[in-house]
Amino acid sequence: MRMSEGVEWAMHCCLTLAWLGNELPVSTAKLAAGFELPPAYLNKQLQALAKAGIMTSTPGVRGGFRLARPLKEITVMDVVTAIEGPADAFQCTEIRRRGAGAARPEWQFRTPCAVSTAMRKAEMAWRRELAAQTLADVLAAADRRAPQAGEAIRRWYAQN
């Protein structure tokens, strides 16, 4: 399964806001500069997070984005759904009804095909795993792997 880069960007921005203390809004331009990302495209991702209730958006010169709720209340699945949308990753098009299957009787298609069933089972496992992880879990893992990351982020944003 392939997700857009917007999911990565969105998650990193959430973690950055948490490391910064989430007290003041941070502008799209500043978040984009922190990762050398195109501001206009990043803004689309941040707006999607705001629409999903993950972030809040404050307009104006001193405006920007803040987390709408604590990281422990935001799952990885919440972020993925906000950016990618809620549609299933696998879309069965019932190709078994075409070609060699076109002449088969209708009753043979009453149950989902084995391919569709297998893909949906795998997707449900994937979705459960993403829903089981909060952004607080991700932040804790980041802090364990790179204990200085939060301080480095705070220092960079204070200087820029």
Side-chain angles (χ1 to χ4, degrees):
M1 169 170 303
R2 183 172 171 85
M3 286 184 266
S4 71
E5 58 195 1
V7 172
E8 176 187 9
W9 297 4
M11 289 184 61
H12 277 286
C13 286
C14 287
L15 298 181
T16 296
L17 292 175
W19 275 320
L20 293 175
N22 200 43
E23 294 167 16
L24 297 173
V26 179
S27 71
T28 300
K30 202 162 195 175
L31 286 167
F35 295 106
E36 296 182 357
L37 299 172
Y41 186 61
L42 178 61
N43 190 59
K44 290 180 183 179
Q45 312 313 311
L46 299 176
Q47 290 295 336
L49 293 175
K51 185 178 178 185
I54 295 170
M55 288 188 178
T56 60
S57 174
T58 305
V61 178
R62 297 187 188 271
F65 291 89
R66 294 177 52 203
L67 292 168
R69 50 190 204 260
L71 291 184
K72 67 182 179 186
E73 296 176 14
I74 305 168
T75 69
V76 175
M77 190 72 235
D78 293 335
V79 175
V80 171
T81 302
I83 302 300
E84 298 293 324
D88 292 340
F90 178 77
Q91 300 295 320
C92 180
T93 60
E94 279 293 349
I95 66 169
R96 65 188 179 147
R97 292 176 177 250
R98 297 187 235 153
R104 290 173 46 200
E106 183 63 30
W107 64 266
Q108 290 185 353
F109 302 109
R110 287 189 187 133
T111 60
C113 76
V115 171
S116 180
T117 300
M119 296 304 287
R120 293 198 191 290
K121 181 179 176 185
E123 183 170 345
M124 288 308 298
W126 174 77
R127 286 178 180 272
R128 274 191 302 274
E129 183 60 28
L130 293 179
Q133 295 180 71
T134 68
L135 291 187
D137 298 329
V138 177
L139 183 70
D143 284 339
R144 280 192 307 275
R145 292 177 182 160
Q148 303 82 16
E151 181 55 37
I153 292 285
R154 286 186 289 279
R155 209 173 23 256
W156 189 91
Y157 277 85
Q159 295 172 355
N160 291 293

